[in-house]
């Protein structure tokens, strides 16, 4: 024989806790939420004050009387140009080496190591 389940009560899952008539809806949750917000606000204010004080101490220790200028603008132009060109060149090299399967990966890793080594050797001169 098959068993039947007893019918569920009409207010299944909607049981409410009796509250006093003068209590607001969130009266027992408000103090914890306020305390957390106050603690976060206090921590943020302390961090901001510490940062300002640290900055003023450094400024008093090293006063800046003149603004340094660099007459070599070619370096800035080279930096901007390379920041645009290097990604395109890198993608082109990766696509070219992708056709060579494992040899392409070997060339890429070996080539990068060689370029870094040559750069460090040049700087050390």
């Amino acid at each position: 024989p098959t068993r039947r389940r007893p019918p569920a009560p009409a207010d299944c899952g909607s049981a409410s806790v009796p509250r006093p008539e003068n209590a607001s809806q969130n009266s027992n949750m408000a103090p914890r939420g306020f305390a957390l917000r106050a603690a976060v606000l206090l921590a943020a204010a302390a961090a901001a004050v510490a940062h300002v004080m640290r900055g003023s101490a450094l400024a008093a220790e090293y006063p800046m009387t003149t603004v340094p200028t660099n007459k070599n603008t070619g370096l800035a132009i080279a930096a901007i140009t390379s920041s645009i060109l290097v990604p395109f060149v890198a993608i082109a090299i990766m696509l070219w080496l992708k056709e060579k399967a494992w040899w392409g990966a070997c060339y890429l890793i070996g080539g990068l190591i060689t370029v870094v080594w040559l750069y460090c050797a040049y700087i050390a001169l």
Side-chain angles (χ1 to χ4, degrees):
T2 59
R3 292 187 183 177
R4 288 184 156 191
R5 284 184 146 180
D11 63 345
C12 181
S14 64
S16 61
V17 177
R19 302 178 69 88
E21 289 188 27
N22 60 354
S24 69
Q25 194 71 5
N26 294 325
S27 66
N28 58 355
M29 292 298 288
R32 277 190 277 166
F34 177 75
L36 178 63
R37 287 181 183 159
V40 168
L41 181 66
L42 183 64
V49 168
H51 180 69
V52 168
M53 290 178 69
R54 188 180 315 122
S56 64
L58 288 175
E61 191 173 337
Y62 301 106
M64 188 171 183
T65 56
T66 60
V67 177
T69 59
N70 187 356
K71 307 257 189 255
N72 186 7
T73 58
L75 190 61
I77 293 172
I80 291 172
T81 306
S82 66
S83 70
I84 294 170
L85 290 180
V86 166
F88 290 112
V89 171
I91 290 172
I93 290 172
M94 286 189 284
L95 289 174
W96 175 64
L97 290 175
K98 186 177 180 181
E99 299 170 1
K100 298 181 182 349
W102 284 105
W103 281 107
C106 180
Y107 292 151
L108 183 63
I109 294 169
L112 286 173
I113 292 171
T114 304
V115 167
V116 169
W117 186 85
L118 288 172
Y119 175 75
C120 291
Y122 176 75
I123 294 299
L125 290 178

